[in-house]
Amino acid sequence: MLNALTPQAPDKILALMAAYREDPRDSKIDLGVGVYKDAGGNTPVMRAVKAAERQLVDTQSTKVYTGLAGDPAFAEALSTLVLGPARAADRLACVATPGGTGAIRQGLELVRMASPTARLWLSDPTWPNHPAIAKYLGVPVSDYRYFDAGTGGVDFDGMMADLAGVAVGDVVMLHGCCHNPTGANLTLDQWTTVADLLAARGAVPFVDIAYQGFGDGLEADAAGMRALLTRVPEALVAASCSKNFGIYRERTGLLMAIAASPAQLKVTQGAMSALNRLNFSFPPDHGARVVTMILTDAELRADWAGELEEVRRGMLSLRESLATALRDRVGSDRFGFLAAHRGMFSLLGATPEQVEAMRRDHGIYMVGDSRMNIAGLNAATVPLLADAIVAAGV
Ligand code: HCI
């Protein structure tokens, strides 16, 4: 049986992690996988996470199964953080999932279960796992234009023109904030324009929000998505706690489905819980419990939000220094978009050959499409990257 297997295409981002590890150069710089790193290159456990974990060890009296949907307290706390005033509890079904990827997977399973012919629309470019999971599940995919390589911003006219082709019941994936890989984001006005188009066409938005708090702040990062959610009857939202709580390996995510009416809530919740059961039974609990403890304890929450804000400001200041270093070197604001982008990533706009040259000649590792993890930089490496970008002729 196993001899029938054929080699799987590797995930390009994870393959890059391995290549970086094997590079013997001390001067190497990792701008690859989307993991936050401090100035020393470490990904620390956040203070509030440590405190909650200590408390959990002392007070947890059982590790018996939770429920198929996870602990309802986690769903309530995280959905409130993500949806804010747009949270309509009487239409909201939630399941805890193994990370944000798990939420995407369960969401697409739900789409396929409800509507086997629905087409999934993805931004071009998008996170490679989106098309990979859809393809594996047999969900047909179309792309919509998103990025304007000339300006480093969103090609909104192209996006709207392509989304005009959605059919009733199609699903449109949107990045809630901090677009991965481009770093270019919709304005609040653009979010409402997209929402009105999808509502008019009868298409369902599926928002992937994995970096809330990394762009303009916890509330600001959710504002566009929330505006959209108040304008459409139905929606799916996949949220990840990996980055904003720094609990990558705990696999903590939540799939939310907003039903068109309270009458549809029970069957929607039942379908989502059943999909959890069919795929893994109970979702992981440790990370979810830690997140719940932090969000429901005023002191822990304030400490967590404060540390997240420091992380966010650190990345913004790295963006500013990189844009300034490049302005000094090229004598124009050609790279100004790097300071305008938000979140962990920016798409530099280099060719694959230029990306390869930066890796070969300078030990700088970015994804082949020239996506850079800004958090992989520090004050000492910003000028080295700027020099390498110029030397590669970007
Ligand atoms: C990213 O780098 O885009 C996010 C981290 C990630 C990458 C590949 C697979 C899972 C998660």
Side-chain angles (χ1 to χ4, degrees):
M1 171 194 79
L2 300 180
N3 60 358
L5 293 171
T6 53
Q8 295 288 311
D11 181 292
K12 290 195 177 67
I13 301 169
L14 301 181
L16 189 70
M17 268 169 87
Y20 174 80
R21 231 181 283 124
E22 280 156 27
D23 189 326
R25 288 175 283 186
D26 288 336
S27 59
K28 64 188 177 177
I29 302 173
D30 180 13
L31 307 181
V33 69
V35 165
Y36 171 74
K37 284 180 284 184
D38 63 18
N42 303 309
T43 304
V45 181
M46 293 179 88
R47 294 184 302 260
V49 169
K50 267 276 176 231
E53 285 184 320
R54 264 189 222 108
Q55 208 176 308
L56 191 57
V57 166
D58 289 344
T59 58
Q60 192 167 42
S61 57
T62 181
K63 284 195 184 282
V64 77
Y65 294 124
T66 52
L68 287 174
D71 184 350
F74 169 64
E76 186 181 341
L78 190 62
S79 65
T80 303
L81 178 78
V82 174
L83 305 179
R87 182 175 182 271
D90 61 343
R91 295 190 291 126
L92 178 65
C94 297
V95 279
T97 55
T101 307
I104 303 277
R105 168 67 185 256
Q106 296 301 81
L108 290 179
E109 294 242 19
L110 188 72
V111 167
R112 190 177 61 167
M113 182 188 254
S115 175
T117 59
R119 176 168 290 276
L120 176 70
W121 291 74
L122 298 174
S123 68
D124 177 21
T126 191
W127 187 48
N129 250 349
H130 289 160
I133 295 172
K135 189 173 167 215
Y136 183 65
L137 292 175
V139 175
V141 169
S142 286
D143 291 338
Y144 60 86
R145 274 171 284 172
Y146 184 78
F147 190 63
D148 181 342
T151 63
V154 174
D155 174 7
F156 193 64
D157 291 343
M159 177 177 181
M160 288 300 285
D162 290 347
L163 289 182
V166 300
V168 175
D170 279 358
V171 176
V172 178
M173 182 75 80
L174 298 158
H175 296 227
C177 63
C178 308
H179 185 271
N180 180 2
T182 68
N185 298 293
L186 300 177
T187 64
L188 191 55
D189 273 355
Q190 290 171 335
W191 273 100
T192 60
T193 307
V194 170
D196 292 343
L197 175 78
L198 300 188
R201 299 267 157 177
V204 181
F206 188 167
V207 182
D208 178 5
I209 183 157
Y211 297 88
Q212 190 182 355
F214 274 60
D216 290 311
L218 277 168
E219 294 302 305
D221 286 347
M225 171 195 61
R226 292 172 183 173
L228 166 116
L229 294 177
T230 58
R231 282 174 162 76
V232 295
E234 272 190 333
L236 298 175
V237 179
S240 169
C241 298
S242 296
K243 287 88 178 177
N244 52 8
F245 287 86
I247 51 172
Y248 306 86
R249 64 174 65 168
E250 300 300 348
R251 311 313 298 135
T252 307
L254 185 72
L255 174 68
M256 292 163 261
I258 295 140
S261 74
Q264 288 161 25
L265 185 59
K266 202 169 167 212
V267 68
T268 305
Q269 181 64 62
M272 289 162 67
S273 298
L275 284 170
N276 268 11
R277 173 168 47 79
L278 292 166
N279 279 326
F280 44 77
S281 291
F282 302 89
D285 180 69
H286 179 79
R289 198 154 294 276
V290 164
V291 165
T292 310
M293 289 169 75
I294 293 171
L295 291 178
T296 56
D297 178 291
E299 213 173 302
L300 287 177
R301 185 179 177 125
D303 188 47
W304 163 72
E307 190 171 355
L308 179 59
E309 188 60 11
E310 284 164 30
V311 162
R312 184 182 81 80
R313 286 182 192 276
M315 284 188 295
L316 272 186
S317 112
L318 286 166
R319 288 186 173 284
E320 291 288 346
S321 355
L322 181 59
T324 305
L326 283 162
R327 191 187 307 123
D328 292 347
R329 283 161 178 75
V330 302
S332 83
D333 218 14
R334 200 154 59 82
F335 291 101
F337 62 84
L338 294 171
H341 285 168
R342 285 294 179 270
M344 225 186 249
F345 307 118
S346 270
L347 202 63
L348 178 62
T351 64
E353 293 73 28
Q354 290 167 334
V355 169
E356 174 51 29
M358 285 187 271
R359 185 177 329 177
R360 187 188 58 228
D361 302 338
H362 306 271
I364 293 172
Y365 284 74
M366 59 181 77
V367 184
D369 60 1
S370 78
R371 186 194 81 169
M372 307 184 294
N373 175 6
I374 296 295
L377 292 168
N378 60 33
T381 55
V382 162
L384 303 177
L385 173 62
D387 287 341
I389 290 173
V390 172
V394 181

